[in-house]
Every structure is written in structure tokens, then in C-alpha cells.
Amino acid sequence: MAFPAQNVHADVVLLSFEKREMALSDVDAEVTPPQSVLHLGIMPTASGAPDDERAWLNPQEPVDASINSGWYRKVAELAEEGTFDFLFVADAVFADPSGPPHYLSRFEPLTLLSYLAAWTSKVGLVGTVSSTYQHPYNIARMMLSLDHLSCGRAGWNVVTSLSDQAARNFGLSGQIDHQTRYSRAQEAIEVIRGLWASHDPGAFPRNRATGEYMDRSKVRALEHHGEFFDVAGPLNIESSPQGEPVIFQAGQSPQGLRLASATADAVFAMPTSIQAAISYRARLREAGDPESSKRAEPLLLARLIALVTDDDATAEEALASYWQLHGTWDRMAERVSVAIGRPVSTFHQQIDEDDVERGMAHEGTWLAEPLRQAAQEGRTVASILGDLLEQTQFIVAGSAETIAEKMIEWKSAGAADGFVLQVSDVAQLHRFVDEVVPVLRRRGVARSEYPEASSLRLSLIHISEPTRRTP
């Protein structure tokens, strides 16, 4: 008996954990009004990623933090103690010997998050998986497996992957062009969401008395035939405890913004000022399809490095120590040098089109766009290093009150719905949880506890009375 086919464009289930088996009608999901809560996530960078490259030199941390399960467990437990919404694991599918330590030896995200699912019960678990180098069926299956292991706490950070190095790891001579990667990602997401909707509620009665394990009338094949993928379906794991895993993206280019606006529940961005964040949100809105008015706007979550000090008088010293430890200026110059393929000693020369193209190929839009603008102005590479630092780092140093006030200021201005805290120093995370979070709670923008029965989708998106359209 064949499974009936479904329409891949049909609305996907948005179902909270508690009401997973409820009967669903052919109406749109109702969403509660936006909440005052400031959403909080953690991005652990362990041995050191861009902007904290020398974290592994900290004698208070294990030297092998990036592959130290106990280190990640401690971070996850602190995230849950601070009632953070989620823990976010970034990734890349290549190792560059000249790259930051965290990129040289680290866990595969979904394996790590499955481990952390066993040690936590409330915090969301968001993993990065490439739509370019993973097949949609595998992604759909892996994400739902994590979702079931965590009882509805999984999220997928969609990336299209950078670098020729990544491409060569998958049998290609160079990376697929930018436009094609994003077209492929769009179709991959459609396929994955279609596979996630393979099973209606009640598809697995598992009735020992009647001998019925699965109700075939509630299972649908996908039969997707597109430009990049042919996928029959159905998926061989039942529907998500939360309806479907939450989708994250970090779109910067026009194609990335369109994809994020059309498909993401939350967007991870790296603005360094309120105005930059507001401008980014405006571009995200402009990239959306005006005919998709029923779709909720993605949450905007800004990356933050927080240095909690005893008082504001010592904030400048803490920031200077941070810059000194991580060699910020030199690291940025080295990073740009590697990306554009010429030595720092030539940075006094004007930027040319080759620099722009190589910057896009190896680092993406964050580097290519400033290079392109500077090239039009006849500027040198050296002249934009300061601009790049301001563009790529949002660091707040000061007392707990000062840091909390800065975060509230961004939210009040409409610049961000929350923050993703970059963490390589567990002592600093401890101080954030012990000192900053209580201030945010007193100010009424952070919760003091998780809902009794929750999911990542319910925590972030506030879905109520979840519903589903039938194909």
C-alpha cells in the first residue's frame, strides 16, 4: 500500500509539546502578542573562535575545551540556571590550519547537542547543519531525532557554507556559486519541512490490543521533484514534539536576507550598534514577500560579548585586557590577509575587484561588502581594519547594571529581540548568570523560571492553539 502524497508547500504543523495529539483544524496558527521577555542564547566558542581566538590560553579553562564534554555540560547547566532560551552550536565543515583553535578540533553539533539533551531538561538546543553538504532527508531525520531526544527543544541553524576548502571535502573542485547555494537552501528547507509533516497526530496508535502500530491513513509520502532534489518520503521518524524544530539563520547578503525572511523563525546577526541593528531589521523586512503577510517576522538576536566587572571604573581595564589577550587588531589583519590572499605588508595598496571576490569566497558578505564600498572610494585595506572591528564586535564591559541597561536599551529601541552571548570563559558566564540575569529579572525583561511544560518553539515564538492546514 503506497502512502498518499502531500503538497510540499502545505503549511507545516506548529504544535506545542503538551497538545501534540490534539485534533487540528484547517485554520492558521494563532500567535500570542509579542512578549516583553528579552530572549537569551549562548554560543559556546570553547578554545576560541573569531573575536576570542586565544581563549585556550586562559589557565582557568581546560586547554581542550572544544572537545571537552564536561566543559560543554557546565556551560549548558549554567544556561539552564539562567533560564536562557537556547544553546547555539556553530559549525564549519573544514579545518583551516591558520584558523582559530575552536575551528581546528571540535564536536559535530548534533552529536554534542544529543549528549547535552541528556544533561538538561529545559534549555533549547540549536545546531548548525549545512544545506549545501547534507541531503534534506538526512537533515530532516537528524533534527527530528534530536527533537525527540530533547522532548521538543531542537533548533536548526541553516547555513550554505563558505570556502573552497569545504567544497573539496565533498568532492568538488570549488564552492558552488552564491546564488545557487541559496536557491538550493530554499528548496532544501521546503523538502525538510515537508518531510517533517509526513505524519499526522495519532499516526502511531501502537495499540497492542488490535495489533495496529501505525495508522497508514495518517502518513503521507512527499513525492518532491525539484531543481536540486527528488525525495519520495515519508520520513522514518514521527512528527516533532513541538510541531517542527525552530529554524535559525544568519542572512547578510540579499539572497540570505530573502531566505531568512521567508523561512526563519529567528535570525542571528552581528550588529555593533543600535542603528546598525535597526538598519539590518529594516533590510530583513524589505527582503520579505509582501504577499506573505500571515508569516510572523523572525526574531532578531544579536551577538554579544559581555565582560562583567565589579564596577564601571574597572570596565576600561577589563576591555583592554581582553584586547591584549586576543590580539584583536593583529588578528583582524591576519584574517583579512588570509581571506583576500595577500600579505599584510601590502595593505597600504588600494583594494581591487580581486580582493572583493576573494573576500566573498572565503568570508562572505560581512567582509566583501566593506571591501566593495572601500574599493569604490579608492581606499586601502589598512584603512578599513578599524571599520571591520567595529562591524564584527559588540563587546560590553562594566557592572551588571550597566550591561543589563545596554541590553534593555537595544530592546527598547527595537534593535533586537534578544542576544546570543558568545562564551569561552565560564567564569564570566557564571558572573553573567549570577549578576546580570537577576538585574534583568528585576527590570521585568527576563523570566525567573521556565514554563512547567515547554518547548523551544513555545519559548521563543509563543505559539498558542497550534493548528495545521491539510494538503
Side-chain angles (χ1 to χ4, degrees):
M1 174 179 177
F3 294 109
Q6 63 168 303
N7 181 352
V8 73
H9 297 288
D11 291 349
V12 179
V13 186
L14 297 177
L15 189 62
S16 67
F17 178 64
E18 314 93 284
K19 300 183 179 180
R20 176 178 173 181
E21 298 299 325
M22 68 179 288
L24 301 176
S25 59
D26 186 20
V27 294
D28 292 315
E30 297 179 9
V31 181
T32 61
Q35 304 296 301
S36 61
V37 65
L38 188 67
H39 293 293
L40 296 175
I42 287 179
M43 179 175 69
T45 49
S47 297
D51 299 333
D52 60 5
E53 291 93 337
R54 299 175 182 172
W56 69 280
L57 296 175
N58 183 350
Q60 303 304 313
E61 299 292 348
V63 73
D64 65 345
S66 290
I67 56 165
N68 188 308
S69 60
W71 187 87
Y72 284 100
R73 176 183 169 187
K74 185 181 299 183
V75 169
E77 289 173 343
L78 282 170
E80 206 154 72
E81 181 181 335
T83 57
F84 279 65
D85 290 279
F86 61 89
L87 184 145
F88 168 85
V89 179
D91 193 37
V93 288
F94 67 94
D96 183 349
S98 62
H102 183 56
Y103 288 11
L104 304 180
S105 178
R106 58 177 167 177
F107 291 121
E108 185 280 318
L110 299 192
T111 305
L112 172 61
L113 293 172
S114 296
Y115 165 79
L116 295 177
W119 292 102
T120 56
S121 61
K122 298 293 185 180
V123 69
L125 303 168
V126 181
T128 299
V129 182
S130 173
S131 62
T132 301
Y133 300 120
Q134 284 279 3
H135 192 278
Y137 195 93
N138 285 338
I139 297 174
R141 187 185 187 198
M142 292 187 298
M143 291 309 310
L144 277 198
S145 294
L146 175 61
D147 211 29
H148 281 282
L149 287 170
S150 64
C151 298
R153 294 184 284 136
W156 173 30
N157 177 42
V158 183
V159 297
T160 63
S161 296
L162 290 169
S163 176
D164 291 341
Q165 291 174 288
R168 289 194 293 269
N169 287 335
F170 293 88
L172 303 176
S173 60
Q175 70 172 332
I176 302 168
D177 70 88
H178 189 78
Q179 180 62 55
T180 301
R181 293 203 313 275
Y182 275 91
S183 296
R184 177 187 171 101
Q186 176 79 50
E187 186 178 336
I189 293 170
E190 290 178 2
V191 172
I192 288 163
R193 297 185 75 185
L195 288 169
W196 283 343
S198 293
H199 303 93
D200 287 337
F204 289 88
R206 297 184 175 95
N207 189 323
R208 285 173 170 159
T210 64
E212 183 184 33
Y213 189 85
M214 182 179 73
D215 182 346
R216 292 193 178 192
S217 69
K218 295 183 178 181
V219 184
R220 293 182 304 281
L222 183 62
E223 298 302 343
H224 173 90
H225 305 288
E227 180 181 0
F228 300 98
F229 305 108
D230 288 283
V231 182
L235 195 61
N236 61 346
I237 183 169
E238 59 201 81
S239 298
S240 163
Q242 59 178 329
E244 65 176 31
V246 177
I247 294 180
F248 289 71
Q249 286 179 40
Q252 294 290 331
S253 67
Q255 296 94 332
L257 289 170
R258 284 196 294 272
L259 185 67
S261 179
T263 64
D265 298 304
V267 174
F268 175 56
M270 297 193 293
T272 57
S273 68
I274 287 177
Q275 187 54 50
I278 291 174
S279 175
Y280 177 86
R281 194 192 287 273
R283 289 191 291 119
L284 184 63
R285 286 171 176 161
E286 291 170 1
D289 183 352
E291 296 182 4
S292 300
S293 58
K294 292 182 179 180
R295 175 170 168 74
E297 181 179 311
L299 295 174
L300 176 55
L301 307 172
R303 186 190 66 158
L304 169 65
I305 297 174
L307 305 176
V308 187
T309 60
D310 293 336
D311 52 50
D312 291 333
T314 57
E316 187 174 339
E317 179 184 350
L319 188 56
S321 296
Y322 187 89
W323 293 137
Q324 182 177 13
L325 171 63
H326 296 294
T328 305
W329 188 274
D330 292 340
R331 289 287 181 179
M332 177 59 75
E334 292 171 7
R335 185 176 177 184
V336 173
S337 175
V338 170
I340 66 176
R342 60 176 165 119
V344 175
S345 61
T346 67
F347 278 14
H348 64 284
Q349 299 173 3
Q350 286 189 3
I351 299 165
D352 59 31
E353 188 59 33
D354 287 342
D355 295 327
V356 177
E357 291 180 1
R358 286 192 289 263
M360 172 62 81
H362 294 99
E363 286 281 356
T365 310
W366 80 267
L367 176 58
E369 288 304 317
L371 284 170
R372 182 175 288 109
Q373 179 65 34
Q376 293 171 355
E377 298 169 358
R379 295 171 60 188
T380 66
V381 180
S383 72
I384 70 166
L385 290 180
D387 298 338
L388 293 174
L389 284 172
E390 292 179 1
Q391 175 186 320
T392 59
Q393 296 181 327
F394 176 38
I395 302 178
V396 180
S399 65
E401 289 77 10
T402 294
I403 293 174
E405 182 60 38
K406 176 64 70 174
M407 296 170 72
I408 293 170
E409 179 186 3
W410 275 54
K411 179 172 175 58
S412 298
D417 300 300
F419 296 89
V420 179
L421 197 65
Q422 182 167 324
V423 172
S424 57
D425 185 334
V426 173
Q428 270 294 328
L429 176 57
H430 238 304
R431 292 199 67 170
F432 189 93
V433 170
D434 291 345
E435 300 175 40
V436 179
V437 170
V439 176
L440 294 173
R441 287 170 176 166
R442 288 198 299 272
R443 296 289 297 273
V445 296
R447 59 188 168 211
S448 58
E449 59 184 12
Y450 291 100
E452 183 176 349
S454 185
S455 67
L456 178 56
R457 179 166 295 280
L458 187 62
S459 176
L460 281 174
I461 316 300
H462 308 295
I463 293 295
S464 64
E465 298 302 324
T467 54
R468 173 187 196 162
R469 283 178 182 253
T470 56

